[in-house]
Amino acid sequence: MSDSEIVRYELDGEVAVITLNRPEKRNAVSDRLIRALADAVTRAQTEAKAAVICGAGKHFCAGLDLGEHVKRTPIEGVHHSRGWHAVFETIEAGRIPFFSALHGAVVGGGLELAAATHIRVADATTFFALPEGTRGIFVGGGGSVRVGRLTGVARMTDMMLTGRTVSAEQGEQWNLCQYVVGAGEAKSFAIDLARKAAQNAEMSNYAIIHALPRVEDMSRADGLFLESFVASMAASSPEAEERLNAFLDKTAARLSHPST
Ligand code: 1HE
């Protein structure tokens, strides 16, 4: 299988759809898959305004390819982990928002990948797990930072120590995903959300994905200070002027209650 087959890349209008395509191994993340994912993610940043990552077959992703991992020396293990960090950082702190469409197993490195995306849509078949403890290893794809911040250290510790699996509904309550949809519907739902986000002003999207996580890491005073500068910068862009005038001219869509 070539690199373009192990991770499929399609451009659907302004949305890049990136599919982990190793279903016979449950999309386990081999060295080749991570390289192909890096290429697809980099391409999406230049060609699309938003991107969706999904998995082929019965599961989103079974995490690290355990067959490859047994052969690594300690220093190779460090480089391997840092390599994943670089790719996931490109997703989380790149140019465009990323959405993940989850189904079946979202485990270990699969959950670390999903946690690097900005919005996670899980279908009813989804289950989350961090079985690293039972495998004698540790998270290495940024999970201790991203999954810990999403769900809290206590829940992450529980998942890692006990190997428990967490359903989509429980995952939503635990902040592992923002949406739960019917079985088989995650991909189309995530693409719809990505299309909506692609319509936003580019500066707003950039500010959302870059400023919010930075502010979370700052003191209150520093966060408020940075916010004022980002807000002023975004509001003084030509795109903002156009959009604000459209609202005042009554040509822009109005908000309404979610039930309507
Ligand atoms: C794999 C992997 C894998 C499946 N590496 N080959 N991840 C895990 O501990 C999860 C391990 N996998 C599973 O628990 C199950 O495979 C699943 C729940 C994901 C799917 O179950 P199922 O019944 O649909 O498939 P299966 O029959 O278990 O697996 C099908 C094939 O995929 C089989 O290979 P085959 O050659 O015998 O057909 C499996 O060996 C293979 N396979 N998962 C390698 N993960 C940067 S640090 C991150 C640390 C982690 O990610 S730890 C979590 C590792």
Side-chain angles (χ1 to χ4, degrees):
M1 204 186 254
S2 72
D3 281 6
S4 61
E5 285 164 356
I6 204 167
V7 172
R8 263 196 335 254
Y9 178 93
E10 294 150 286
L11 195 59
D12 176 351
E14 294 182 320
V15 174
V17 180
I18 295 169
T19 309
L20 312 180
N21 189 30
R22 205 190 170 206
E24 72 290 353
K25 292 287 180 189
R26 308 311 185 241
N27 301 321
V29 183
S30 59
D31 290 350
R32 265 190 74 210
L33 188 138
I34 200 88
R35 279 197 301 271
L37 179 62
D39 289 346
V41 161
T42 304
R43 189 170 165 196
Q45 315 263 0
T46 57
E47 294 183 353
K49 291 199 170 159
V52 172
I53 300 178
C54 57
K58 283 197 325 186
H59 303 279
F60 173 70
C61 178
L64 175 71
D65 186 317
L66 297 169
E68 286 185 352
H69 204 60
V70 287
K71 299 175 207 133
R72 289 196 181 95
T73 64
I75 190 63
E76 284 168 357
V78 173
H79 293 319
H80 173 262
S81 167
R82 298 298 287 161
W84 280 41
H85 288 173
V87 181
F88 292 1
E89 193 67 16
T90 312
I91 294 171
E92 188 183 39
R95 290 186 181 189
I96 59 171
F98 277 82
F99 295 71
S100 46
L102 309 177
H103 72 293
V106 181
V107 305
L111 177 52
E112 293 181 292
L113 167 60
T117 64
H118 303 98
I119 304 283
R120 287 160 294 282
V121 178
D123 88 357
T125 68
T126 303
F127 59 96
F128 301 98
L130 291 170
E132 281 83 350
T134 60
R135 307 279 181 236
I137 55 177
F138 191 65
V139 284
S144 59
V145 172
R146 295 195 184 92
V147 179
R149 280 177 198 200
L150 277 178
T151 196
V153 172
R155 288 186 188 129
M156 184 175 178
T157 304
D158 179 16
M159 289 172 80
M160 291 193 72
L161 285 180
T162 66
R164 72 187 279 182
T165 55
V166 174
S167 68
E169 291 74 21
Q170 180 92 72
E172 189 184 16
Q173 286 162 19
W174 282 19
N175 208 25
L176 293 172
C177 59
Q178 290 101 321
Y179 295 88
V180 178
V181 298
E185 291 171 11
K187 183 175 168 185
S188 58
F189 195 93
I191 290 175
D192 280 350
L193 293 180
R195 282 201 187 110
K196 283 188 190 134
Q199 301 309 307
N200 293 341
E202 219 174 316
M203 178 64 92
S204 297
N205 278 352
Y206 195 81
I208 292 162
I209 65 177
H210 282 270
L212 295 183
R214 282 185 171 77
V215 168
E216 194 182 22
D217 286 344
M218 287 177 178
S219 71
R220 211 181 132 80
D222 288 345
L224 292 171
F225 188 74
L226 177 76
E227 181 189 275
S228 298
F229 281 82
V230 175
S232 177
M233 179 103 181
S236 53
S237 70
E239 249 182 312
E241 190 183 351
E242 204 177 291
R243 285 161 185 257
L244 296 173
N245 283 334
F247 177 80
L248 298 173
D249 295 347
K250 303 199 184 302
T251 52
R254 253 51 189 169
L255 300 174
S256 58
H257 190 276
S259 65
T260 58

